[in-house]
Amino acid sequence: MTNITLYGTPISTYVRTAQLVLSAAEVDYDIKDVGIFNGDNLTDSYLKKHPFGKIPTLEIEGETLYEANAITYFVNEKFAQGKFAPDDLWLQSRMYQIISIINNYLYAPAVSVLTIENLVKPSQGKEIDQAAVEGAIAPSKTALEAIETLVTGDPCLLSSELTIADFYLIPIFFYVSKTPQFDQIMTNTPKLKDWWEAVRSLDLVQEICG
Ligand SMILES: N[C@@H](CCC(=O)N[C@@H](CS)C(=O)NCC(=O)O)C(=O)O
């Protein structure tokens, strides 16, 4: 038992983002499973922690912290001396820009549609909504191409070191790279292709996503 608890199911990309920063910062924590397909996230007790019923939520120092953005910021500052955010103002701003693109433009088509339709629904015995899949290709491609223009690092997104932006994008790539539309949405993103080849086999990535 530790005094840090992460609520959420480890299949969630946002939970994995939190796990990546916690592990990279070598923080011991417990994970309490809160499922999203069985309604755990909408129970009264969980809604008291997170009024929007999303995962993850972190309990630490007697406080409850939700939103991956807040969790990754806190963990990075508290336990890693800020090393997972670039010092340079422009690179740090680019990091937040990539995170914002992921949250606002990539997650919905790439995770809520391509991942759920191709990888989750068949495992639940449900039919794939092909129209939804077709409709998610262009917005996924647009978001990835926008991120591509911001990649200045090697082998990581912004430098030679992992940042919180990598921790957001890795769990999404872990799923979307397994979908039949991956090649199609990645036609114009050679830097992201190289990035994914470099980071996918890192021990940290295998530990959390593998
Ligand atoms: N803005 C939230 C988003 C978190 C989020 O969307 N989590 C997904 C799982 S990856 C979830 O809780 N889905 C459940 C639902 O929407 O009912 C954050 O940054 O933490």
Side-chain angles (χ1 to χ4, degrees), residues 26-45:
E26 299 183 18
V27 177
D28 278 339
Y29 64 97
D30 295 306
I31 184 149
K32 283 213 178 130
D33 201 72
V34 175
I36 48 175
F37 298 124
N38 59 5
D40 284 352
N41 58 322
L42 300 175
T43 59
D44 288 347
S45 66

PDB file of all heavy atoms in Angstrom, residues 26-45:
ATOM      1  N   GLU A  26       9.516   7.441 -11.239  1.00  0.00           N
ATOM      2  CA  GLU A  26       9.805   6.417 -10.224  1.00  0.00           C
ATOM      3  C   GLU A  26       8.974   6.603  -8.957  1.00  0.00           C
ATOM      4  O   GLU A  26       9.493   6.529  -7.832  1.00  0.00           O
ATOM      5  CB  GLU A  26      11.303   6.382  -9.909  1.00  0.00           C
ATOM      6  CG  GLU A  26      12.120   6.029 -11.132  1.00  0.00           C
ATOM      7  CD  GLU A  26      13.606   5.915 -10.856  1.00  0.00           C
ATOM      8  OE1 GLU A  26      14.000   5.776  -9.700  1.00  0.00           O
ATOM      9  OE2 GLU A  26      14.373   5.984 -11.844  1.00  0.00           O
ATOM     10  N   VAL A  27       7.701   6.862  -9.150  1.00  0.00           N
ATOM     11  CA  VAL A  27       6.782   7.038  -8.027  1.00  0.00           C
ATOM     12  C   VAL A  27       6.053   5.715  -7.780  1.00  0.00           C
ATOM     13  O   VAL A  27       5.555   5.093  -8.716  1.00  0.00           O
ATOM     14  CB  VAL A  27       5.726   8.127  -8.366  1.00  0.00           C
ATOM     15  CG1 VAL A  27       4.707   8.269  -7.247  1.00  0.00           C
ATOM     16  CG2 VAL A  27       6.407   9.451  -8.659  1.00  0.00           C
ATOM     17  N   ASP A  28       5.993   5.302  -6.509  1.00  0.00           N
ATOM     18  CA  ASP A  28       5.197   4.114  -6.147  1.00  0.00           C
ATOM     19  C   ASP A  28       3.755   4.544  -5.965  1.00  0.00           C
ATOM     20  O   ASP A  28       3.492   5.511  -5.246  1.00  0.00           O
ATOM     21  CB  ASP A  28       5.683   3.537  -4.809  1.00  0.00           C
ATOM     22  CG  ASP A  28       6.904   2.667  -4.995  1.00  0.00           C
ATOM     23  OD1 ASP A  28       7.108   2.198  -6.134  1.00  0.00           O
ATOM     24  OD2 ASP A  28       7.646   2.502  -4.017  1.00  0.00           O
ATOM     25  N   TYR A  29       2.854   3.823  -6.568  1.00  0.00           N
ATOM     26  CA  TYR A  29       1.438   4.171  -6.417  1.00  0.00           C
ATOM     27  C   TYR A  29       0.605   2.904  -6.523  1.00  0.00           C
ATOM     28  O   TYR A  29       1.061   1.890  -7.041  1.00  0.00           O
ATOM     29  CB  TYR A  29       1.007   5.177  -7.501  1.00  0.00           C
ATOM     30  CG  TYR A  29       1.097   4.623  -8.910  1.00  0.00           C
ATOM     31  CD1 TYR A  29      -0.033   4.092  -9.539  1.00  0.00           C
ATOM     32  CD2 TYR A  29       2.308   4.598  -9.603  1.00  0.00           C
ATOM     33  CE1 TYR A  29       0.053   3.560 -10.822  1.00  0.00           C
ATOM     34  CE2 TYR A  29       2.390   4.066 -10.881  1.00  0.00           C
ATOM     35  CZ  TYR A  29       1.268   3.549 -11.491  1.00  0.00           C
ATOM     36  OH  TYR A  29       1.349   3.016 -12.753  1.00  0.00           O
ATOM     37  N   ASP A  30      -0.621   2.990  -5.998  1.00  0.00           N
ATOM     38  CA  ASP A  30      -1.564   1.885  -6.177  1.00  0.00           C
ATOM     39  C   ASP A  30      -2.550   2.293  -7.254  1.00  0.00           C
ATOM     40  O   ASP A  30      -2.877   3.477  -7.384  1.00  0.00           O
ATOM     41  CB  ASP A  30      -2.346   1.638  -4.881  1.00  0.00           C
ATOM     42  CG  ASP A  30      -1.424   1.166  -3.775  1.00  0.00           C
ATOM     43  OD1 ASP A  30      -0.712   0.173  -4.003  1.00  0.00           O
ATOM     44  OD2 ASP A  30      -1.383   1.823  -2.720  1.00  0.00           O
ATOM     45  N   ILE A  31      -3.025   1.297  -7.993  1.00  0.00           N
ATOM     46  CA  ILE A  31      -4.074   1.611  -8.966  1.00  0.00           C
ATOM     47  C   ILE A  31      -5.362   0.934  -8.508  1.00  0.00           C
ATOM     48  O   ILE A  31      -5.343  -0.229  -8.101  1.00  0.00           O
ATOM     49  CB  ILE A  31      -3.662   1.213 -10.404  1.00  0.00           C
ATOM     50  CG1 ILE A  31      -4.725   1.635 -11.406  1.00  0.00           C
ATOM     51  CG2 ILE A  31      -3.311  -0.230 -10.557  1.00  0.00           C
ATOM     52  CD1 ILE A  31      -4.169   1.992 -12.770  1.00  0.00           C
ATOM     53  N   LYS A  32      -6.445   1.710  -8.453  1.00  0.00           N
ATOM     54  CA  LYS A  32      -7.759   1.135  -8.104  1.00  0.00           C
ATOM     55  C   LYS A  32      -8.594   1.138  -9.364  1.00  0.00           C
ATOM     56  O   LYS A  32      -8.810   2.196  -9.982  1.00  0.00           O
ATOM     57  CB  LYS A  32      -8.448   1.956  -7.016  1.00  0.00           C
ATOM     58  CG  LYS A  32      -7.869   1.683  -5.661  1.00  0.00           C
ATOM     59  CD  LYS A  32      -8.907   1.791  -4.550  1.00  0.00           C
ATOM     60  CE  LYS A  32      -8.238   1.462  -3.223  1.00  0.00           C
ATOM     61  NZ  LYS A  32      -8.483   2.420  -2.181  1.00  0.00           N
ATOM     62  N   ASP A  33      -9.030  -0.044  -9.761  1.00  0.00           N
ATOM     63  CA  ASP A  33      -9.704  -0.177 -11.049  1.00  0.00           C
ATOM     64  C   ASP A  33     -11.064   0.526 -11.059  1.00  0.00           C
ATOM     65  O   ASP A  33     -11.918   0.281 -10.216  1.00  0.00           O
ATOM     66  CB  ASP A  33      -9.870  -1.658 -11.392  1.00  0.00           C
ATOM     67  CG  ASP A  33     -10.067  -1.819 -12.883  1.00  0.00           C
ATOM     68  OD1 ASP A  33      -9.081  -1.639 -13.620  1.00  0.00           O
ATOM     69  OD2 ASP A  33     -11.198  -2.075 -13.315  1.00  0.00           O
ATOM     70  N   VAL A  34     -11.217   1.437 -11.989  1.00  0.00           N
ATOM     71  CA  VAL A  34     -12.512   2.089 -12.236  1.00  0.00           C
ATOM     72  C   VAL A  34     -12.774   1.883 -13.723  1.00  0.00           C
ATOM     73  O   VAL A  34     -12.118   2.489 -14.571  1.00  0.00           O
ATOM     74  CB  VAL A  34     -12.460   3.600 -11.905  1.00  0.00           C
ATOM     75  CG1 VAL A  34     -13.760   4.287 -12.290  1.00  0.00           C
ATOM     76  CG2 VAL A  34     -12.147   3.824 -10.435  1.00  0.00           C
ATOM     77  N   GLY A  35     -13.684   0.977 -14.042  1.00  0.00           N
ATOM     78  CA  GLY A  35     -13.964   0.642 -15.445  1.00  0.00           C
ATOM     79  C   GLY A  35     -14.822   1.706 -16.099  1.00  0.00           C
ATOM     80  O   GLY A  35     -15.594   2.404 -15.427  1.00  0.00           O
ATOM     81  N   ILE A  36     -14.683   1.808 -17.426  1.00  0.00           N
ATOM     82  CA  ILE A  36     -15.532   2.772 -18.144  1.00  0.00           C
ATOM     83  C   ILE A  36     -16.587   2.065 -18.995  1.00  0.00           C
ATOM     84  O   ILE A  36     -17.524   2.693 -19.462  1.00  0.00           O
ATOM     85  CB  ILE A  36     -14.700   3.745 -19.025  1.00  0.00           C
ATOM     86  CG1 ILE A  36     -13.670   2.994 -19.865  1.00  0.00           C
ATOM     87  CG2 ILE A  36     -14.060   4.829 -18.188  1.00  0.00           C
ATOM     88  CD1 ILE A  36     -12.915   3.880 -20.846  1.00  0.00           C
ATOM     89  N   PHE A  37     -16.422   0.757 -19.191  1.00  0.00           N
ATOM     90  CA  PHE A  37     -17.424   0.044 -19.993  1.00  0.00           C
ATOM     91  C   PHE A  37     -18.479  -0.614 -19.100  1.00  0.00           C
ATOM     92  O   PHE A  37     -19.478  -1.099 -19.585  1.00  0.00           O
ATOM     93  CB  PHE A  37     -16.750  -1.016 -20.883  1.00  0.00           C
ATOM     94  CG  PHE A  37     -15.794  -0.405 -21.877  1.00  0.00           C
ATOM     95  CD1 PHE A  37     -14.464  -0.801 -21.925  1.00  0.00           C
ATOM     96  CD2 PHE A  37     -16.221   0.584 -22.752  1.00  0.00           C
ATOM     97  CE1 PHE A  37     -13.581  -0.230 -22.828  1.00  0.00           C
ATOM     98  CE2 PHE A  37     -15.338   1.167 -23.662  1.00  0.00           C
ATOM     99  CZ  PHE A  37     -14.016   0.761 -23.704  1.00  0.00           C
ATOM    100  N   ASN A  38     -18.214  -0.635 -17.776  1.00  0.00           N
ATOM    101  CA  ASN A  38     -19.178  -1.257 -16.861  1.00  0.00           C
ATOM    102  C   ASN A  38     -19.847  -0.225 -15.949  1.00  0.00           C
ATOM    103  O   ASN A  38     -20.580  -0.568 -15.042  1.00  0.00           O
ATOM    104  CB  ASN A  38     -18.471  -2.307 -15.983  1.00  0.00           C
ATOM    105  CG  ASN A  38     -17.344  -1.683 -15.171  1.00  0.00           C
ATOM    106  OD1 ASN A  38     -17.154  -0.470 -15.199  1.00  0.00           O
ATOM    107  ND2 ASN A  38     -16.605  -2.493 -14.433  1.00  0.00           N
ATOM    108  N   GLY A  39     -19.563   1.068 -16.189  1.00  0.00           N
ATOM    109  CA  GLY A  39     -20.246   2.111 -15.419  1.00  0.00           C
ATOM    110  C   GLY A  39     -19.611   2.450 -14.082  1.00  0.00           C
ATOM    111  O   GLY A  39     -20.131   3.298 -13.344  1.00  0.00           O
ATOM    112  N   ASP A  40     -18.460   1.837 -13.741  1.00  0.00           N
ATOM    113  CA  ASP A  40     -17.780   2.180 -12.475  1.00  0.00           C
ATOM    114  C   ASP A  40     -17.538   3.687 -12.372  1.00  0.00           C
ATOM    115  O   ASP A  40     -17.537   4.249 -11.281  1.00  0.00           O
ATOM    116  CB  ASP A  40     -16.372   1.556 -12.413  1.00  0.00           C
ATOM    117  CG  ASP A  40     -16.395   0.072 -12.108  1.00  0.00           C
ATOM    118  OD1 ASP A  40     -17.470  -0.447 -11.789  1.00  0.00           O
ATOM    119  OD2 ASP A  40     -15.308  -0.550 -12.202  1.00  0.00           O
ATOM    120  N   ASN A  41     -17.268   4.299 -13.523  1.00  0.00           N
ATOM    121  CA  ASN A  41     -16.920   5.739 -13.527  1.00  0.00           C
ATOM    122  C   ASN A  41     -18.130   6.637 -13.265  1.00  0.00           C
ATOM    123  O   ASN A  41     -17.974   7.837 -13.077  1.00  0.00           O
ATOM    124  CB  ASN A  41     -16.269   6.133 -14.864  1.00  0.00           C
ATOM    125  CG  ASN A  41     -17.160   5.837 -16.073  1.00  0.00           C
ATOM    126  OD1 ASN A  41     -17.852   4.819 -16.091  1.00  0.00           O
ATOM    127  ND2 ASN A  41     -17.156   6.700 -17.050  1.00  0.00           N
ATOM    128  N   LEU A  42     -19.323   6.031 -13.250  1.00  0.00           N
ATOM    129  CA  LEU A  42     -20.528   6.855 -13.062  1.00  0.00           C
ATOM    130  C   LEU A  42     -21.227   6.566 -11.735  1.00  0.00           C
ATOM    131  O   LEU A  42     -22.350   7.022 -11.501  1.00  0.00           O
ATOM    132  CB  LEU A  42     -21.497   6.633 -14.243  1.00  0.00           C
ATOM    133  CG  LEU A  42     -20.893   7.002 -15.618  1.00  0.00           C
ATOM    134  CD1 LEU A  42     -21.830   6.646 -16.757  1.00  0.00           C
ATOM    135  CD2 LEU A  42     -20.528   8.489 -15.684  1.00  0.00           C
ATOM    136  N   THR A  43     -20.561   5.804 -10.861  1.00  0.00           N
ATOM    137  CA  THR A  43     -21.161   5.540  -9.548  1.00  0.00           C
ATOM    138  C   THR A  43     -21.081   6.814  -8.695  1.00  0.00           C
ATOM    139  O   THR A  43     -20.209   7.668  -8.919  1.00  0.00           O
ATOM    140  CB  THR A  43     -20.406   4.413  -8.799  1.00  0.00           C
ATOM    141  OG1 THR A  43     -19.040   4.831  -8.648  1.00  0.00           O
ATOM    142  CG2 THR A  43     -20.462   3.094  -9.546  1.00  0.00           C
ATOM    143  N   ASP A  44     -21.988   6.903  -7.705  1.00  0.00           N
ATOM    144  CA  ASP A  44     -21.992   8.094  -6.835  1.00  0.00           C
ATOM    145  C   ASP A  44     -20.640   8.276  -6.167  1.00  0.00           C
ATOM    146  O   ASP A  44     -20.135   9.395  -6.062  1.00  0.00           O
ATOM    147  CB  ASP A  44     -23.079   7.962  -5.752  1.00  0.00           C
ATOM    148  CG  ASP A  44     -24.454   8.132  -6.355  1.00  0.00           C
ATOM    149  OD1 ASP A  44     -24.548   8.595  -7.522  1.00  0.00           O
ATOM    150  OD2 ASP A  44     -25.443   7.777  -5.679  1.00  0.00           O
ATOM    151  N   SER A  45     -20.041   7.157  -5.721  1.00  0.00           N
ATOM    152  CA  SER A  45     -18.777   7.321  -4.975  1.00  0.00           C
ATOM    153  C   SER A  45     -17.675   7.843  -5.896  1.00  0.00           C
ATOM    154  O   SER A  45     -16.887   8.690  -5.491  1.00  0.00           O
ATOM    155  CB  SER A  45     -18.369   6.031  -4.268  1.00  0.00           C
ATOM    156  OG  SER A  45     -18.054   5.055  -5.222  1.00  0.00           O
TER     157      SER A  45
END
